[in-house]
Amino acid sequence: MRALVHRGAGSGPAGIGTAERPLPGPGQLLVRVVAAGWPAGRPARPGIVGEEFAGTVERLGAGAYGWERGDDVLGHCPSGACAEYVAVDAERVAGRPAALPWAEAALLPVTAAGARAALDKLRVRRGETLLVHGAQAPAGRVAVRLALARGAAVVAVAPAAARPALREAGAVPVGYGVGLGGRIRAAAPAGVDAVLDAAGRAAGPLWSALAGGPGRVAALGPVPGGRSGAVAESAALAELVELWEEGAFRVEPDVVVPLERAAEVERRAGDGRSVVVTLVALRRM
C-alpha cells in the first residue's frame, strides 16, 4: 500500500513510500483511510507519519465487536495514519456521522481531542478567563470555541489575519510581538486564570506569572519522537463527535492535499498549520 513516510533525521521531508498492508489483530479493525491529519513541519520519527484519520471499516479482527464492514469511523492510530490502510484498536475509534466532513473528521481524534483534554486538565470553567496562545492553530481554534461554550472568557493571541474570526466567535484577540504581556493585561484587567499554549511552547515566566503559577499552564504539541502519546478512547471520541454535532466547535483544516502533493506542502508548512492528507477522493463533503 502507499503511505506518507518519514525516513529519519537528515533524510529530508516525508515522501510517498510503500508499506505492507496491515492485518487486523485481535480487537482491531482494518480501516481504509479516506483522510488523515498530518502535523507537517514538526519533528517526526521514522515511519508512517500522522496519528489521526477518518475512513471506512474493511475488516474486523477477532473479538472486534460493535462494528461492521462499511462503517465510517474516525480514530487514533499511533503507528501512523497517513496510509491507505490502518489496523487500529476498536477502542480507539468512533462513528463518523454523515454530516461531519471527512477532512474535519480526520482532525478530531488528536487535534480536537487534545484541545479538549487540555481544557479539562486546566479545569477551565464558567466565569474564568483563559488565555490561548497560538489561537490561529486548529487546536487553538477548537480550544477557544470549547472554552467559550463552557462560559469562560477567552483572550486569544493570534496574527492579524485570524483575529476577525476570533472576535466574531466571542474571544478578545491580541497580537504577537513585543509588549505582549501588556496587551494581555489590558484585554483582561481582572487577570488570567489559565493559559493554554496551542503553539506547544509553554515556556518562559510570562505564562506562569499571568496564571498565578505553573499549575494552570498547559501546552499542546507532540512528545519527543513526534507522537502525541495520547490514548483516544471510543467514549471520549463519541462525546467529541456529539459536541461537534451540537455546534460547539469546528476544526476546519488549513490545507487539504492529496497524498501525491503532501511532500511539497511540508516544505511550506509552518505556524502550526493543519494539513489533512487525502488517500482517496473526498466524498460526502
Side-chain angles (χ1 to χ4, degrees):
M1 67 174 183
R2 296 181 308 157
L4 188 62
V5 179
H6 190 271
R7 305 295 181 188
S11 63
I16 300 175
T18 58
E20 291 291 328
R21 175 172 166 173
L23 295 173
Q28 289 191 323
L29 308 174
L30 178 68
V31 177
R32 184 187 184 199
V33 176
V34 174
W38 176 32
R42 292 181 177 177
R45 71 183 187 188
I48 298 173
V49 303
E51 294 185 64
E52 49 190 340
F53 69 90
T56 302
V57 176
E58 286 278 321
R59 181 177 168 186
L60 279 67
Y65 302 110
W67 301 101
E68 296 182 1
R69 188 175 186 274
D71 285 345
D72 289 340
V73 297
L74 54 94
H76 175 215
C77 183
S79 60
C82 290
E84 291 182 298
Y85 293 90
V86 296
V88 58
D89 294 342
E91 65 184 17
R92 289 186 173 183
V93 303
R96 183 197 76 97
L100 177 55
W102 286 105
E104 286 197 58
L107 293 179
L108 258 71
V110 174
T111 299
R116 186 191 185 199
L119 293 181
D120 290 342
K121 178 182 178 181
L122 290 171
R123 307 181 304 281
V124 175
R125 56 190 181 271
R126 182 174 299 278
E128 292 193 324
T129 297
L130 171 70
L131 172 67
V132 178
H133 178 256
Q136 80 284 357
R141 298 194 297 264
V142 172
V144 168
R145 293 295 298 271
L146 289 179
L148 291 168
R150 294 184 182 197
V154 177
V155 177
V157 183
R163 285 176 223 154
L166 291 164
R167 185 177 294 109
E168 184 178 351
V172 179
V174 299
Y176 290 109
V178 177
L180 175 60
R183 289 192 296 276
I184 292 171
R185 292 183 177 95
V192 169
D193 298 290
V195 176
L196 173 58
D197 194 330
R201 299 187 301 272
L206 178 59
W207 295 160
S208 291
L210 288 169
R216 298 201 70 190
V217 177
L220 293 175
V223 297
R227 303 299 187 188
S228 74
V231 176
E233 299 290 347
S234 294
L237 283 177
E239 289 176 2
L240 203 57
V241 170
E242 288 181 8
L243 285 172
W244 184 93
E245 291 181 299
E246 293 167 3
F249 71 95
R250 296 292 302 272
V251 60
E252 301 98 332
D254 298 311
V255 179
V256 179
V257 64
L259 177 64
E260 293 76 13
R261 292 182 49 217
E264 65 183 75
V265 168
E266 184 179 27
R267 286 191 288 270
R268 302 196 306 269
D271 299 325
R273 290 196 310 161
S274 63
V275 179
V276 168
V277 176
T278 59
L279 282 299
V280 300
L282 293 184
R283 56 192 189 276
R284 295 199 293 278
M285 293 292 288

